[in-house]
Amino acid sequence: MRVLFLFAALSLGTLAISSISGQSPAPVIIQAATPAPAPSATAAPATTAADPKEMMQVLQEMQATNAATIKKQEAALQTLDGLQKAAEEIKIYSKRG
């Protein structure tokens, strides 16, 4: 009889605990400490009219900006390649003792 009573008590306790932990707390939303950055002045202005001349000018500006960015990236890659070669030479000389 004691075993049956103990089993029933454990079953009821388990059911009570499982029903309590079923819900998750509501998410807390915290406002950012710094304001969102303002849109940059270099961004292309949005055109509502379908003026081909304006669209072509914007496209050419974007292409010039992209070309300048690619040149900077190529220069950075060349610098990194030079550094990698120098590091490999240092490794070789350090192994020679």
Side-chain angles (χ1 to χ4, degrees), residues 12-59:
L12 288 175
T14 304
L15 287 174
I17 291 174
S18 66
S19 66
I20 291 173
S21 64
Q23 294 180 349
S24 61
V28 177
I29 300 173
I30 300 173
Q31 186 175 1
T34 57
S40 65
T42 60
T47 57
T48 57
D51 187 17
K53 291 181 181 179
E54 289 180 19
M55 298 291 278
M56 185 60 89
Q57 183 180 6
V58 170
L59 180 63

Side-chain angles (χ1 to χ4, degrees), residues 87-97:
E88 289 173 0
E89 288 179 5
I90 290 173
K91 286 180 185 178
I92 291 171
Y93 290 130
S94 67
K95 287 181 182 178
R96 289 184 182 177

